[in-house]
Amino acid sequence: GTGREVSTSDAFALVQRAVGTDIAATPRPEVRDAVKRMALDISTTQRVLGWAPEMPLEEGIVHTVAWYRSHGM
């Protein structure tokens, strides 16, 4: 929700680093009519709810992986 576009492969690499693995991604055939690019605009959420992300995606993934590990997952 930062308005910054992140590709699937970049997101996968962030998760790889956070988990500490070099497992390879398994490419799949492209889905016809699939959304190819996306960046979320959270301006309405910020205006209506007063909420905004508190940390960058990279740090959030690290925290998420740590939470799962601390809960035995």
Side-chain angles (χ1 to χ4, degrees):
T2 62
R4 183 183 67 145
E5 186 176 313
V6 178
S7 70
T8 304
S9 60
D10 288 345
F12 183 79
L14 292 171
V15 173
Q16 276 183 309
R17 266 183 263 143
V19 172
T21 184
D22 61 354
I23 191 168
T26 304
R28 302 280 187 214
E30 187 173 310
V31 176
R32 196 178 111 209
D33 299 329
V35 175
K36 296 191 178 21
R37 300 175 66 162
M38 183 183 303
L40 300 177
D41 175 6
I42 63 161
S43 60
T44 301
T45 302
Q46 289 174 316
R47 183 174 38 77
V48 174
L49 301 177
W51 181 89
E54 295 180 1
M55 65 180 68
L57 176 63
E58 297 83 354
E59 188 178 343
I61 290 172
V62 169
H63 282 271
T64 300
V65 170
W67 185 91
Y68 275 97
R69 286 185 171 153
S70 73
H71 288 80
M73 295 181 214

